[in-house]
Amino acid sequence: MTDTSIPSAEPELDEETATAEGRDEVEETEGGTREKKAPAESELFRQSEIAADYVEGLLDILDYDGDIDELVSGGRPMVEVVGDGLQNLVGQRGATLEALQELARLAVFRQTGTPSRLLLDVGGYRANRRKELAAVAKNAVEKVKEYGEPVRLEPMSAFERKCVHDVVNAMSGVQSESEGVEPSRRIVVRPAD
């Protein structure tokens, strides 16, 4: 039997818990210890260019107009698509955007042989969603501090969970953790130990 599945560009790599482990090159120091080094900015920019070319091809096939920007931000390659009428590329709660991001990551992986932490944004969806999630996280923190009881949030994507974890971790007296399995994985905010 032939395996026709498409390999994931990042097997078992979840954005919310992503660390430098397993993705960066390893270099040996003078003392003989091994340290991980982050990909060079030029390599990250190359990844964003590859992904941008892939996304541009998809836009042409779908007959969508959009301006594509390639950049590196926060040590991650990024591609931003800006234009009108791109909501179908985002989909319900960003589901289509997540799928497009995985396809773009796969395109990078096929050309470089290296898994990518590429972040794709369409029509500013991720930036707007980040603001919404910050408000959700702050509201949950207020409830936890007021009642002293854990608060379970609705299931979220890895990107969304990471946004909430970042906000909660920046506040004192509370902590957050994820529970459950995809696609029902959610965050629980609770008083700090």
Side-chain angles (χ1 to χ4, degrees):
M1 181 181 286
T2 305
D3 181 12
T4 59
S5 62
I6 299 173
S8 172
E10 289 190 64
E12 305 301 318
L13 183 63
D14 187 331
E15 265 185 58
E16 79 177 284
T17 57
T19 64
E21 292 183 41
R23 286 187 309 279
D24 302 333
E25 297 175 26
V26 177
E27 94 181 352
E28 201 161 314
T29 62
E30 288 178 25
T33 59
R34 295 169 55 96
E35 291 183 357
K36 295 186 187 307
K37 70 174 191 175
E41 181 127 350
S42 61
E43 174 58 27
L44 295 174
F45 189 74
R46 179 172 175 253
Q47 290 180 16
S48 67
E49 288 178 320
I50 293 167
D53 289 344
Y54 178 79
V55 170
E56 185 175 18
L58 283 176
L59 291 178
D60 287 345
I61 291 168
L62 297 171
D63 198 27
Y64 280 103
D65 289 326
D67 293 327
I68 300 174
D69 295 324
E70 308 118 13
L71 55 139
V72 175
S73 177
R76 291 181 83 159
M78 293 185 66
V79 172
E80 294 178 345
V81 182
V82 182
D84 294 326
L86 298 174
Q87 187 57 36
N88 286 339
L89 296 177
V90 173
Q92 186 177 17
R93 297 200 57 208
T96 305
L97 176 58
E98 291 292 331
L100 290 173
Q101 177 175 278
E102 281 306 308
L103 289 172
R105 286 178 174 180
L106 183 59
V108 172
F109 180 74
R110 291 185 71 145
Q111 282 198 29
T112 66
T114 305
S116 176
R117 293 181 58 224
L118 173 84
L119 192 61
L120 175 65
D121 194 6
V122 174
Y125 173 80
R126 289 194 190 275
N128 293 334
R129 188 69 177 137
R130 236 184 228 109
K131 290 176 188 172
E132 292 170 4
L133 292 166
V136 168
K138 288 175 184 174
N139 186 34
V141 166
E142 287 174 12
K143 286 182 181 177
V144 168
K145 286 183 175 182
E146 184 176 341
Y147 300 109
E149 296 291 323
V151 172
R152 284 180 171 68
L153 301 177
E154 66 185 38
M156 298 179 185
S157 70
F159 162 77
E160 293 172 323
R161 291 192 307 270
K162 169 117 175 50
C163 292
V164 172
H165 282 306
D166 288 348
V167 171
V168 173
N169 289 336
M171 302 178 132
S172 62
V174 290
Q175 63 188 28
S176 62
E177 63 185 25
S178 294
E179 69 176 19
V181 222
E182 296 292 353
S184 299
R185 196 155 168 80
R186 65 181 65 231
I187 289 181
V188 179
V189 182
R190 63 185 71 225
D193 294 332

